[in-house]
Each structure stands twice: as structure tokens, then as C-alpha cells.
């Protein structure tokens, strides 16, 4: 049984850990509203002496950050939708359907998770270039429409659904397609929500692939757009952090409102129902 002193010490340690984790985010927002003098001061100011909200409007004047955010939301949304469709269908086949070599195919499918992204980046780039998809939304999204992680996550959740449910649906005349659409998907909203949040944030924060396959500012994503705020001669760090704050704000809001769903879905695949 924990004593009051033990609980107090535990809360203090957790508070310190939370402060260390949140400090970079808080410092980003503090720097985003600093004046150029405060942002370039040494030692740097932790809390701004005065608030300058004009930094955000100046960011929009320097780079088309709105277009970059729109491109990123479109690419991340299409990737999320594609992964939900392909992963759910593949997971259902591996969990509920019987065919020869199912376990071997699934093992090979999951084994692709051990291959680093850097290994497949060049073949993907050569394929996209040969198809003429450079500097296009197809080139940004198509290589990420299928995911082994999403298939594994949803398969584990689908396997927890009771067999009696499928047998009762089969007696009522449901085939695999109707059972999948009418029963499996509605019951799997926690896992689907988890995959949606994970895939959206993963693509939203992608930098290397959009930098590789896009050439014009009209197709750039927001992670590349932020780097355009840095100049070789001099860099206004308050503007860089203002742009960074604009970029991370949507992902922070998504995490705040979807964290419960994310944790719930992750835990659901590890528990027996």
C-alpha cells in the first residue's frame, strides 16, 4: 500500500517528466510571439517580455504557409483513407477467411515492417519517376496507401470478435462482404480510429519523401515550407518558431481530442475480449 509520501513523490516525478516533455512545445509558442530582439537575445529568454502576434501574419507574407498546410492535409487525408481501406480489407481476410498459405503470407507481410524505409525509398522514387508522377499528389500518396502495421493492428482486433457473431450473421444470409461492412467495421471503430490518427500524423510529419518527389512550391508540404523561413545570411528565429507553431497546432489538437481513442485502440489489440 502506498503511503502519502510515496504518492507525493510519484506525482512530483511525473510532473517533472511532463514538464521536460512539454518544454520544447511551450518554448516554441513562447518564441513565436517574441519580438526579434527578444528572440535573438543571449542568453535566450524563456518567457517573452512582450507579445508580438504580427509574427504569424508575417510568416504568411514570406511563404505560402496556407497552401502548404492545405497540401499536407490533402496528402495526409488521402493516405489515411487509403490505409484504412486496404488495411481493413487485408486484416479481415487474414482474420476471418480461410485459404491456403494464409499464415505464411501474413508472416511475410508483417516481416516487411522490419525493412527500414530508407531501403525502399530509392526503388519507390524510381518507380514514381518512371510513371511520371513526380511533383504530383499520386507520387506523394500512392507509396503509402498500404501498411503492414495497420493490417497487423486491425487483424488483432478482428480476431477478438466472437465467432458466434459471424455464425449468426451467416445463418441470416450474410456473406463476407455484408458481414465486413455491417458488423466488423462498426464494431472496430476504436482500432480504425487509432489507425486513422497514426497514419494521418505520420504523413503530416513526413519530410524526406515530399522533399524528394516535389519540385514546385505549389506541391510542397508544410514540413518543407518551414525550412524556407531559414536564410543563409540571417534567420529571424521568431518567424521560424511562429511558422513551426502554426504547423504543430493541428497535430496537437488532433492528439488532444484523439489521445483517448488512440490509447484505447492500441490497448484493444493487446487484450483478450
Amino acid at each position: 500500500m502506498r503511503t502519502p509520501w510515496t504518492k507525493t513523490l510519484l506525482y512530483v516525478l511525473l510532473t517533472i517528466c511532463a514538464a521536460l516533455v512539454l518544454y520544447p512545445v511551450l518554448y516554441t509558442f513562447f518564441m513565436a510571439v517574441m519580438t526579434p530582439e527578444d528572440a535573438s537575445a543571449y542568453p535566450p529568454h524563456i518567457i517573452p517580455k512582450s507579445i508580438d502576434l504580427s509574427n504569424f501574419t508575417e510568416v504568411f507574407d514570406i511563404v505560402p504557409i496556407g497552401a502548404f498546410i492545405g497540401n499536407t492535409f490533402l496528402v495526409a487525408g488521402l493516405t489515411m483513407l487509403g490505409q484504412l481501406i486496404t488495411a481493413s480489407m487485408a486484416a479481415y481476410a487474414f482474420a476471418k477467411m480461410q485459404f491456403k498459405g494464409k499464415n505464411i503470407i501474413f508472416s511475410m507481410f508483417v516481416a516487411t515492417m522490419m525493412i527500414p524505409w530508407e531501403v525502399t525509398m530509392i526503388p519507390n522514387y524510381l518507380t514514381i519517376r518512371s510513371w511520371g508522377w513526380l511533383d504530383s499528389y499520386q507520387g506523394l500518396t500512392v507509396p503509402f496507401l498500404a501498411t503492414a502495421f495497420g493490417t497487423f493492428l486491425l487483424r488483432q482486433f478482428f480476431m477478438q470478435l466472437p465467432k458466434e457473431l459471424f455464425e449468426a450473421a451467416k445463418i441470416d444470409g450474410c456473406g463476407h462482404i455484408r458481414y465486413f461492412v455491417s458488423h466488423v467495421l462498426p464494431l472496430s471503430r476504436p482500432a480504425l480510429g487509432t489507425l486513422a490518427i497514426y497514419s494521418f500524423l505520420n504523413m503530416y510529419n513526413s519530410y524526406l519523401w515530399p522533399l524528394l518527389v516535389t519540385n514546385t512550391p505549389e506541391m510542397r508540404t508544410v514540413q518543407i515550407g518551414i525550412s524556407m523561413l531559414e536564410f543563409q545570411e540571417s534567420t529571424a528565429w521568431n518567424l521560424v518558431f511562429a511558422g513551426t507553431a502554426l504547423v504543430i497546432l493541428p497535430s496537437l489538437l488532433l492528439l488532444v481530442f484523439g489521445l483517448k481513442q488512440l490509447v484505447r485502440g492500441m490497448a484493444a489489440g493487446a487484450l483478450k475480449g
Side-chain angles (χ1 to χ4, degrees), residues 26 53 78 131 137 145 185 206 221 224 232 252:
L26 295 177
L53 296 179
L78 291 175
W131 289 349
Y137 290 116
L145 294 183
L185 292 183
S206 178
T221 57
I224 304 174
Q232 187 173 2
L252 285 178

Side-chain angles (χ1 to χ4, degrees), residues 169-227:
K170 190 175 182 180
I171 292 175
D172 291 338
C174 282
H176 282 293
I177 297 178
R178 184 178 174 186
Y179 177 67
F180 172 70
V181 174
S182 302
H183 296 80
V184 174
L185 292 183
L187 293 173
S188 305
R189 282 178 293 181
L192 293 173
T194 300
L195 178 59
I197 295 173
Y198 174 82
S199 61
F200 184 90
L201 291 178
N202 191 45
M203 196 63 196
Y204 186 87
N205 295 319
S206 178
Y207 175 80
L208 185 57
W209 181 252
L211 179 65
L212 192 63
V213 300
T214 59
N215 300 313
T216 60
E218 291 77 13
M219 294 303 301
R220 295 291 195 185
T221 57
V222 73
Q223 302 299 335
I224 304 174
I226 291 300
S227 63

